[in-house]
Amino acid sequence: MRNKFALTRRGFLMSAAALAASSDAFGVGMQPHAPRMASETFNPDVDLELVCKRDLVPVLPGKPTQVWRYSGNLLKGPEQTLTAPPDSYLGPLLRLTKGQKVRIRLRNELPEQTITHWHGLHVPMDADGHPMAAIESGQTYVYEFEVKNRASFNFYHPHTHEATATQVYHGLAGGILIEDEEERALGLPSGAYEIPLVIQDRSFDDANQLAYWGGMHRNMFGFYGERILVNGRPNYTIDVDSRTYRLRLLNGSNARIYKLMWDDGTPLTVIGVDGGLLEKPEKRPYVMFAPAERIDLWVDFSGRPVGSKLVMRSGEFSGLVPPMAQRMMGGGLFVGDDYPLFAATVTRAVSDSPKLPEKLATIRHSRREELANPDRPRPIALTMGHMQLALNGRTYESDNVMDIERIPVGTTQLFEIYHDHGGGMGGMGMGGMGMGGGMMGGMGGMGMMGMMDMAHPVHLHGEPFEVLSRVYEGRDADAYATVRDGLIDSGLKDTVLVGPGEVIRIAKPFNDYKGRFMYHCHNLEHEDMGMMREFSVE
Ligand code: C2O
Ligand code: CU
Ligand code: CU
């Protein structure tokens, strides 16, 4: 049997070197650990430098906190391209426009290697932050790409082999707002009326320093911090006028899943998700919000008196994290309990307020005849075998693509994502394509493995995908009822929460770029444990 733990960081580096020696391993001209230089033929509209470095920032009252963060420096481009969130460890917010040519020079001033991924952006492999491209301390990696995405809220974060969770946890992350003509024409709230909100959880020791505790349980279930931070600050409150706002939420937590709800029972009006605006607004009593997901909210404060306060809470739910883990992690801020996230206080009365458009966008849906494999979905089985989380029975390998992971470029593929507790022996890779995921999913909740059942936010790099169906075949209908009405599957997604017992079908395009693109669980501890694979688009 293959040793699933063989990929220690050292082992990985050695195999990367071996790969560099064998000429065609990448097939796309990328040399692992060779920092990429600026090219002379690329003429950027935006040119900026991002430095990963250690820093000291105020977070809690008293002593400042040692963090790792991105700091930015605009070399060329419109002034609004870079804005630093005040008093925060978060990196600068990048504002980009569809069609722009962007160069980002990433400099590593950390004491270890790193690489950055532009989550949600549809870019070539050598601009995607593949773990193979990690640079050493002191080196610079130059990214060059064109912004192909429609208007959407994305983010950047490290994608370092086995160190993504710790690097993100210590502060490395920032938002990317992309704008386009289609969205601008709607006249949605903008400027001071559009507020990005990055929600994260952290724990601190007595000296106000970040504590990343939890040991083996943390690796198994993910990290759950005991404090909520929004844009890097505790007890976050926004002062608002009595009018309409657009709140752009990003779940930047390592593992924590939220159930967003307003404390006064006002339904949430969702206008967009990961890949941009929905076709039309959707009202929900609550919205489930998994790591890496984005939720674009239309919030109308008009008619609320000055001094009134609206609180966004995370409401109670069950079934997504094993009960034993739920009570073990989070230092009192247990996932699935009810607790506040941030507040909005009305401080000024105004009369003008834009109206919510009935139609927001046109999304081109992929039709059945456009799918390369309409009757044989490719599996993404979330497997748990021998205490090892994996995808399709295999953990991350830098040089071993399975047949089901080879994708012809220019196709749209049907995938079926489901839980498989049937042993995780890698059998799915051996021609299990199209295997009834329903049957396997239905086994969730049985026996020993049932205790480990948990939801996984599954992320695919590259172009966003469409969720075609979500079927619940699990056994705990009561638990499922606490989350069901908050699952939003319309619009374009790049991360989808897959609960125990769910079978989800997606249509995912692979256009333009050949190369290796990751897919993984965005519970960052799971990702680092190996719950990550890559597609070879060829
Ligand atoms: Cu946000 Cu591959 O990750
Ligand atoms: Cu990504
Ligand atoms: Cu996971």
Side-chain angles (χ1 to χ4, degrees), residues 490-530:
S490 42
L492 296 173
K493 297 283 293 171
D494 60 50
T495 306
V496 62
L497 182 63
V498 187
E502 286 188 322
V503 181
I504 292 175
R505 288 193 167 199
I506 65 168
K508 155 86 175 146
F510 292 86
N511 288 320
D512 302 326
Y513 304 127
K514 292 185 183 177
R516 304 282 180 86
F517 294 92
M518 323 300 302
Y519 67 104
H520 58 89
C521 179
H522 221 289
N523 175 315
L524 297 182
E525 284 72 25
H526 289 179
E527 173 182 343
D528 280 349
M529 288 284 283

Side-chain angles (χ1 to χ4, degrees), residues 109-267:
E109 289 183 2
L110 301 173
E112 63 182 45
Q113 53 169 260
T114 195
I115 193 70
T116 294
H117 166 59
W118 322 98
H119 181 123
L121 268 64
H122 175 205
V123 295
M125 179 195 179
D126 67 356
D128 196 42
H130 194 288
M132 280 286 212
I135 50 169
E136 304 296 337
S137 185
Q139 291 184 323
T140 297
Y141 190 98
V142 181
Y143 297 81
E144 289 169 335
F145 58 86
E146 183 187 324
V147 179
K148 293 204 165 191
N149 294 62
R150 63 198 283 257
S152 48
F153 186 30
N154 301 287
F155 67 121
Y156 56 100
H157 63 75
H159 219 299
T160 319
H161 186 60
E162 291 179 348
T164 296
T166 51
Q167 293 189 354
V168 171
Y169 185 71
H170 287 91
L172 290 163
I176 306 174
L177 268 182
I178 297 177
E179 298 177 356
D180 67 9
E181 291 299 326
E182 187 190 17
E183 185 181 283
R184 225 175 272 141
L186 284 173
L188 298 172
S190 63
Y193 305 115
E194 180 184 27
I195 306 177
L197 297 165
V198 179
I199 301 177
Q200 297 176 308
D201 56 337
R202 295 290 184 268
S203 290
F204 295 86
D205 65 16
D206 295 341
N208 280 355
Q209 301 310 303
L210 288 165
Y212 186 56
W213 41 51
M216 201 189 88
H217 293 122
R218 184 191 67 209
N219 294 341
M220 209 60 217
F221 303 114
F223 175 86
Y224 300 90
E226 60 201 11
R227 293 199 74 126
I228 298 299
L229 303 180
V230 175
N231 294 344
R233 309 291 306 157
N235 311 316
Y236 204 74
T237 302
I238 49 176
D239 289 343
V240 297
D241 294 351
S242 61
R243 55 154 282 157
T244 303
Y245 279 75
R246 186 177 181 193
L247 303 186
R248 317 228 26 196
L249 275 58
L250 156 66
N251 183 349
S253 312
N254 280 29
R256 190 180 282 269
I257 299 168
Y258 304 95
K259 179 177 179 176
L260 303 171
M261 50 202 298
W262 292 118
D263 67 335
D264 71 345
T266 304

Side-chain angles (χ1 to χ4, degrees), residues 311-367:
V311 178
M312 178 69 82
R313 305 189 67 83
S314 183
E316 279 180 41
F317 64 87
S318 57
L320 298 185
V321 175
M324 57 184 269
Q326 209 158 333
R327 288 291 138 200
M328 209 153 35
M329 310 280 302
L333 195 66
F334 299 121
V335 58
D337 280 3
D338 187 285
Y339 51 87
L341 300 175
F342 63 88
T345 309
V346 179
T347 52
R348 198 164 68 116
V350 298
S351 52
D352 65 315
S353 208
K355 290 276 160 298
L356 177 63
E358 270 168 46
K359 180 171 164 42
L360 297 164
T362 306
I363 291 173
R364 218 190 135 272
H365 300 275
S366 27
R367 282 166 293 137

Side-chain angles (χ1 to χ4, degrees), residues 23 93 104 137 147 150 262 298 312 346 419 423 427 439 484:
S23 60
L93 178 70
I104 302 174
S137 185
V147 179
R150 63 198 283 257
W262 292 118
W298 175 275
M312 178 69 82
V346 179
H419 288 246
M439 184 190 76
R484 189 189 48 221

